[in-house]
Structure formats: C-alpha cells, structure tokens
Amino acid sequence: GSMDEAHWPMFDELVRDLFVEHTQLPNAGDVRDYYVALPSVDFKPWTEVMHEFKFDPKAAFFSMLVPTVDTVRYSYLLEKSLSVSKPMLFTGHSGVGKSAVISNLISRLVDGGAWASLPISFSAQTSARRTQESIESKLDKRKKTLLGPPPGKRMVMFVDDVNMPTLETYGAAPPVELLRQFLDQGGFYDRQKLFWKAVSDVVEVAACGPPGGGRNPLTPRYVRHHTVMVMPQPSAEAMRRIFSSIVGGHLALNGQAEIVSLTKPIIESTVDLYQTVLRDLKPIPAKAHYTFNLR
C-alpha cells in the first residue's frame, strides 16, 4: 500500500494484534508475504504463484521482467483494481520497476483480447492540449459526444512520469488537471466547439517518482481518485534473483559450463558492491549527486 519499508514491521505487528481473535496468521515472514486463496480462504505465500522466468535473447534488456514476490504482488493488485475500474497510482524511487510491472501486465491484458492500451509519457514540456489530442487519437467516436475504445473492449490508459509537467503561474500542472477532470467528470471539453465529450470504458493507471529533481508534488484532488502503491527498493535477495536469471540466461547461450559457472560470482560481487555504495557514499551538500539506484 502507501507505506514505505521502514513501517512494514510495525504494520505486521498491528495486523497480527488485530486479527489474533479472528484467524491464525502464518508465523513465518511478514503478513505481506501471503495472500488469501479462494475458495479455500487459506493464507498462501506469494511464491506459490510466482512463475519461472524464461530468458529471451531477442528481448530488450529493459523490457525483461523477472518475477519476484514484489512484482507478482503488485501485478495481482493492479489486475484486480483494473477489473473494477479503479485507478491506481504507483510511486517509488527511480529504477524500482514501476513502469516494467505496469507495462508487463498491460501487455498480458492486451494479448488476452479484452483490453486495449493507451500509453502516455509526460515530460516537463507536456501540455494539456497535446495530452488531450493523444487520448482522443486512440479512442473511437461512438457518438458525437461519446468517446471510447473499440467495441467490445476496455482500455487502460498508462500515464508514466505523471508529475513531470511544469507548473504554471498559479501552481497547477495543466496536463494533470486534465486527467483530474477526466477522473472527476468522466470526460473533457472539445477545444474548438466547447461541447462536452464523455469518455467511457477507460481506466487510468499512473506512475511517478518522489517530488524533486524536476518532479512536482501531485495535488490531493488528483491523487484521491487512486489506490496508491509504494514500490520498495528490491531486496538483495530479489536483486540476486533478477540478475542471475538475466545474466545466467545470457551466459547459457555460450554453452560452456565454465562460462555459465561465472554467473553466481558476478552477481554476488555486483550486488555486494551496490549495497556498499548505497551504505558508504551518502549524499551530502558538497556531493548532492551521490544518489544511486539500479539504473
């Protein structure tokens, strides 16, 4: 949910105290490591529904998504949220996999045939007019005053870097306000003839990093429509799984056992170096650029 890693242990204790009289929670791990399996209503670990990664040498590196407990968990929640037309906002530091998780799920939904996608990426120069034109260009005109995806489909609109647009004189970001109007009223005005255009069967999903470095705070009027998800930094175990799957798959193409055996020492040393850099090279006023992530 909208909690960072520092508060997870306290949340775990709170949930266990509140539910002690109602159900028996698993003792191992954290309450976040389990989901309620239906119809048995049993607590099952997320690892049971985590698929094996299949390395594709033709796939681009940044399009690869190695399943971890976090990616499975957030993909599941996003899919359930979209199924009931509830917008969702993902936030977290750069490089934690927000866009990869969302794009991967959207790709699977589109392949299923019942969904269409509308990807939008914001920048500091994005305007409200360009945003509206991008949205309308992907929608069909069902009536004069009604827009929507192709017949028989629903559409997921993924807005990446939603807090990047530059603020105007009065402190608002026009592209974000256009999205807020869509979420509030279900449409927007025609820019030439000024009549109202309703938009149906479109669900919005957004991703953003924390404010700072060109990113601006999002207004409560916009955020209130969303279920907010904070994606954490991958744990050392998750990083080892991710990079071992990718590097191991790449080295396996060589076919030589001595080459493939290098996977583990390469990954272990890389993760250890990354953790050491995060621990020892902290940003200070004289070295404010000392911020590191998986990118």
Side-chain angles (χ1 to χ4, degrees):
S2 55
M3 290 186 299
D4 57 22
E5 302 98 308
H7 295 89
W8 288 348
M10 290 181 283
F11 179 75
D12 179 67
E13 292 179 10
L14 175 65
V15 171
R16 291 182 185 278
D17 289 342
L18 291 175
F19 283 79
V20 67
E21 297 180 1
H22 305 284
T23 186
Q24 179 62 45
L25 291 165
N27 294 323
D30 188 289
V31 292
R32 299 170 57 261
D33 296 332
Y34 300 88
Y35 72 101
V36 179
L38 298 176
S40 63
V41 198
D42 293 328
F43 288 98
K44 300 287 186 180
W46 287 106
T47 50
E48 289 191 1
V49 293
M50 194 164 60
H51 302 293
E52 285 298 319
F53 173 73
K54 294 181 179 179
F55 180 75
D56 181 4
K58 297 180 181 180
F61 175 76
F62 286 104
S63 68
M64 295 180 182
L65 182 66
V66 179
T68 65
V69 170
D70 283 330
T71 62
V72 171
R73 181 163 48 211
Y74 289 114
S75 294
Y76 175 87
L77 293 173
L78 175 57
E79 185 173 8
K80 294 302 180 185
S81 185
L82 291 176
S83 69
V84 294
S85 301
K86 175 65 178 178
M88 185 172 276
L89 173 64
F90 283 81
T91 186
H93 292 285
S94 180
V96 298
K98 303 182 294 294
S99 300
V101 168
I102 298 170
S103 298
N104 181 267
L105 176 65
I106 291 175
S107 177
R108 287 194 280 117
L109 292 176
V110 171
D111 291 343
W115 288 82
S117 69
L118 199 172
I120 302 174
S121 186
F122 279 2
S123 69
Q125 287 75 41
T126 302
S127 65
R129 176 182 291 276
R130 187 186 305 172
T131 301
Q132 184 169 340
E133 290 171 351
S134 297
I135 296 172
E136 291 189 23
S137 68
K138 298 292 182 69
L139 297 175
D140 291 350
K141 190 174 182 181
R142 295 181 174 179
K143 298 179 182 177
K144 180 181 178 181
T145 60
L146 178 63
L147 303 175
K153 292 190 176 184
R154 299 169 67 193
M155 179 172 283
V156 53
M157 176 171 62
F158 172 36
V159 186
D160 203 5
D161 291 322
V162 69
N163 60 346
M164 284 294 290
T166 303
L167 303 181
E168 42 96 279
T169 306
Y170 302 101
V176 178
E177 290 304 309
L178 181 76
L179 294 178
R180 194 268 311 158
Q181 184 183 49
F182 160 70
L183 295 170
D184 268 345
Q185 310 294 334
F188 30 69
Y189 285 96
D190 183 90
R191 288 183 173 269
Q192 277 74 44
K193 299 182 180 179
L194 304 181
F195 62 85
W196 180 255
K197 292 180 178 180
V199 178
S200 66
D201 298 325
V202 176
V203 188
E204 185 240 20
V205 178
C208 67
R215 300 183 180 91
N216 302 296
L218 293 170
T219 63
R221 292 199 303 168
Y222 170 75
V223 176
R224 71 185 177 90
H225 290 284
H226 302 77
T227 299
V228 179
M229 289 289 159
V230 179
M231 290 197 67
Q233 291 283 1
S235 64
E237 180 183 350
M239 285 190 285
R240 290 187 181 95
R241 174 181 170 82
I242 293 169
F243 296 128
S244 293
S245 300
I246 297 174
V247 175
H250 181 73
L251 295 182
L253 298 176
N254 182 275
Q256 299 183 30
E258 59 270 24
I259 298 296
V260 177
S261 66
L262 295 174
T263 301
K264 185 173 182 179
I266 290 174
I267 299 307
E268 290 292 339
S269 58
T270 301
V271 172
D272 287 345
L273 175 61
Y274 177 69
Q275 298 282 17
T276 302
V277 168
L278 288 182
R279 183 181 66 249
D280 297 341
L281 300 182
K282 299 291 186 182
I284 59 175
K287 299 177 180 178
H289 61 287
Y290 276 17
T291 55
F292 304 95
N293 56 60
L294 290 179
R295 289 182 178 173

